[in-house]
Amino acid sequence: DAGVIQSPRHEVTEMGQEVTLRCKPISGHNSLFWYRQTMMRGLELLIYFNNNVPIDDSGMPEDRFSAKMPNASFSTLKIQPSEPRDSAVYFCASSSGGSNTGELFFGEGSRLTVL
Amino acid sequence: GENVEQHPSTLSVQEGDSAVIKCTYSDSASNYFPWYKQELGKRPQLIIDIRSNVGEKKDQRIAVTLNKTAKHFSLHITETQPEDSAVYFCAAPFTGGGNKLTFGTGTQLKVEL
């Protein structure tokens, strides 16, 4: 398996633009997580899905953020409109048993810069 | 939610010395404690984890100890090598919130030659 695949790896955009980050989890994993990493706040869980269903989105900063998982092999994290404070590395991770029971496999991350 | 505190934030050791990183957590029902290593510009990767039914677990030069009474767990790296230089994160699940994992703030470990 190629592991968790994220795209784009790097995105530079201007304030107000829509940003869409994509993730393909490891085949067979039934849990998917979106994390945001910044120097100030560390690794923050934004939202996670079990069997394609959003379980907890309490970490989503505000209504500008939305996430979907239309099927077991694809998820998106959308920011609309983007703001400079959204600049961060966004990681997608998947696991076969939820975050509390086994290993999280992270993608390589999407580094977002909002000017 | 779960509150995970990690110390120190930075740690510098000489090659061959030991390094210890400590974490405390708040949710007494937490039962799974992983440690992740993140090299510069890379993704976090699991290096070791421990469940609440044991007090210690070892994997070559890495060990984790757990004190459930005190609600703290520690990462021990012996005979450190330059390739151990990275940021290390502890984590614990918040059992009241769907068991979602809360990460500590990270420890930047530097192993000097």
Side-chain angles (χ1 to χ4, degrees):
Chain A
D1 200 314
V4 175
I5 299 173
Q6 291 186 245
S7 65
R9 291 293 312 281
H10 302 274
E11 173 105 4
V12 180
T13 191
E14 293 188 346
M15 183 174 64
Q17 295 298 305
E18 178 179 293
V19 173
T20 299
L21 307 179
R22 298 173 177 79
C23 176
K24 181 180 186 308
I26 292 174
S27 177
H29 283 188
N30 61 343
S31 296
L32 183 140
F33 308 81
W34 282 100
Y35 282 89
R36 177 173 67 176
Q37 186 173 38
T38 61
M39 287 294 293
M40 291 298 295
R41 302 174 69 91
L43 268 168
E44 301 174 278
L45 178 64
L46 300 177
I47 185 171
Y48 78 95
F49 297 83
N50 264 5
N51 297 315
N52 312 341
V53 177
I55 301 300
D56 187 336
D57 65 354
S58 59
M60 296 286 260
E62 48 200 270
D63 292 345
R64 297 185 297 106
F65 285 68
S66 62
K68 294 182 179 179
M69 192 165 186
N71 57 62
S73 58
F74 184 65
S75 177
T76 60
L77 177 67
K78 187 172 293 186
I79 308 172
Q80 167 62 21
S82 58
E83 296 182 3
R85 59 192 168 122
D86 301 331
S87 298
V89 179
Y90 291 82
F91 285 102
C92 175
S94 70
S95 76
S96 58
S99 69
N100 66 317
T101 60
E103 183 172 0
L104 288 182
F105 292 83
F106 285 83
E108 295 194 65
S110 293
R111 180 176 295 276
L112 173 65
T113 302
V114 183
L115 303 174
Chain B
E2 176 78 278
N3 184 32
V4 178
E5 295 191 359
Q6 184 171 346
H7 301 280
S9 57
T10 61
L11 180 59
S12 185
V13 299
Q14 293 293 313
E15 184 180 7
D17 287 350
S18 295
V20 180
I21 303 170
K22 299 181 180 181
C23 284
T24 60
Y25 60 97
S26 59
D27 185 355
S28 57
S30 291
N31 58 3
Y32 174 66
F33 307 92
W35 285 89
Y36 284 78
K37 175 183 179 182
Q38 186 178 26
E39 297 177 358
L40 186 63
K42 302 285 183 67
R43 73 190 85 184
Q45 291 186 289
L46 180 73
I47 54 171
I48 194 167
D49 56 17
I50 190 168
R51 299 186 187 276
S52 58
N53 57 341
V54 296
E56 184 176 5
K57 183 177 178 181
K58 282 185 179 180
D59 183 2
Q60 299 182 359
R61 297 186 297 108
I62 295 172
V64 56
T65 58
L66 171 64
N67 183 328
K68 285 222 72 179
T69 302
K71 290 190 283 188
H72 70 70
F73 57 112
S74 300
L75 177 70
H76 305 254
I77 306 174
T78 58
E79 300 172 33
T80 53
Q81 301 169 2
E83 53 264 39
D84 295 329
S85 296
V87 179
Y88 291 82
F89 294 94
C90 63
F94 173 43
T95 56
N99 284 309
K100 59 185 179 183
L101 217 52
T102 299
F103 282 86
T105 49
T107 296
Q108 174 77 60
L109 172 64
K110 184 176 180 182
V111 180
E112 298 178 334
L113 297 172

